[in-house]
Amino acid sequence: MSSSRIRFSLLWVVLLALVVVALDQITKVWAAEQLAGRPPVEVVGELLRFTWVRNPGGAFSLGTDYTWVFTVAAVAVSVGILVFAPRIRSWWWLVALGGLLGGALGNLVDRASEPPGFGVGYVRDFIQLPNWPVFNVADMAVVGSAVLIVALSLFGVPATGQRQEAEPEADQTPVGVHGEADG
């Protein structure tokens, strides 16, 4: 494996992650300025609203007393992706892991910089759909990447190399084009 290929894969995962983090943080700043302390804004009727929420927990506001666990998990996932990224050979996997890294880092920025303190801060959420918790761009990247990872896995798309075909068993006689035994 060439060092240029390693740098290429890692570079693309990091660049995609930085795009996600930038979009996430820009939209969170906008949301804080436009929505904090105000009633929800209907964007598409009741189907899509913007509403300001500071989430002390994880998905669905679960684990509000264990925010530090989400911080540790985000750091572990981020390190794991950065270690694995140089071996990736599939554009689809680069996109999936770049999005996952960006989403993890986007919410990690909040946990590190928002009150009540480092590693246990609130995550800023503002996108609301009916019957669904309020979320943000980082959350969308994490969920979208997770769906893509599952799909890639189900379809057998390899992250690190070519798809391997099953080898014929040793005791089978190869069969010719017309169904006759070769030999």
Side-chain angles (χ1 to χ4, degrees):
M1 181 172 11
S2 72
S3 64
S4 63
R5 181 62 193 181
I6 290 171
R7 285 192 305 266
F8 176 82
S9 295
L10 184 58
L11 174 70
W12 277 105
V13 167
V14 170
L15 284 175
L16 288 168
L18 290 175
V19 167
V20 171
V21 171
L23 288 171
D24 179 61
Q25 294 300 307
I26 288 167
T27 57
K28 286 174 178 175
V29 167
W30 170 84
E33 292 173 355
Q34 300 299 316
L35 303 171
R38 297 186 177 124
V41 175
E42 289 189 0
V43 178
V44 182
E46 292 184 16
L47 182 63
L48 173 64
R49 291 180 178 171
F50 289 156
T51 186
W52 180 249
V53 174
R54 287 183 147 178
N55 180 1
F60 303 98
S61 295
L62 297 174
T64 57
D65 293 332
Y66 301 99
T67 302
W68 63 272
V69 172
F70 299 115
T71 300
V72 171
V75 169
V77 166
S78 299
V79 169
I81 290 170
L82 291 172
V83 168
F84 183 65
R87 299 192 308 237
I88 299 172
R89 299 290 166 264
S90 162
W91 275 103
W92 288 108
W93 280 97
L94 288 174
V95 169
L97 294 181
L100 185 59
L101 178 62
L105 292 176
N107 284 335
L108 193 56
V109 167
D110 285 7
R111 297 224 185 268
S113 63
E114 290 293 309
F118 183 80
V120 292
Y122 296 108
V123 171
R124 300 170 289 171
D125 292 330
F126 64 95
I127 304 168
Q128 184 178 23
L129 300 173
N131 305 311
W132 199 254
V134 182
F135 57 95
N136 59 46
V137 171
D139 297 334
M140 290 189 305
V142 168
V143 170
S145 294
V147 168
L148 182 55
I149 289 167
V150 168
L152 292 171
S153 298
L154 287 174
F155 288 112
V157 177
T160 61
Q162 298 300 320
R163 187 184 315 236
Q164 297 199 1
E165 301 296 326
E167 294 182 25
E169 293 180 22
D171 60 347
Q172 289 182 336
T173 304
V175 177
V177 176
H178 301 290
E180 302 148 354
D182 287 342

